Amino acid sequence: MALDPEKAFLDYSTADCSVQFWTANAPAVQFTSLEAAVRFAKDHGGRWEEIEITVHLPREDIAFATGKVHQLIDALPGELGKK
């Protein structure tokens, strides 16, 4: 399924999210929006690490694995073209 980062940022602008780096002893970090979670991931090396961001919704969780997280980092609002 293709990811539309702009739609994801809008759809999950107030959703609880968690960021989990796939390294030993790395705790998950909680945020109140997808954009905040992606900014945290970007600022902490998520562009070069194995990572997962989970959006916690009432009926289901949506997980974005490494490749999709990289797409979201690249599409952060106000940062197009920056890496």
Side-chain angles (χ1 to χ4, degrees):
M1 182 169 166
L3 173 65
D4 179 348
E6 189 174 309
K7 184 174 179 348
F9 285 125
L10 288 173
D11 287 351
Y12 308 124
S13 63
T14 61
D16 289 333
C17 299
S18 59
V19 176
Q20 178 70 55
F21 286 91
W22 293 349
T23 58
N25 301 318
V29 183
Q30 301 291 321
F31 296 91
T32 57
S33 75
L34 180 60
E35 184 175 339
V38 174
R39 286 194 186 282
F40 174 84
K42 177 184 179 261
D43 293 344
H44 291 86
R47 189 68 182 97
W48 298 275
E49 299 287 337
E50 297 291 317
I51 188 171
E52 181 176 283
I53 294 177
T54 303
V55 179
H56 304 284
L57 300 172
R59 292 168 136 316
E60 66 182 329
D61 288 345
I62 299 170
F64 296 106
T66 302
K68 299 228 188 246
V69 172
H70 293 174
Q71 289 178 10
L72 290 166
I73 289 171
D74 290 343
L76 273 168
E79 300 194 25
L80 292 174
K82 294 181 184 178
K83 289 189 182 175

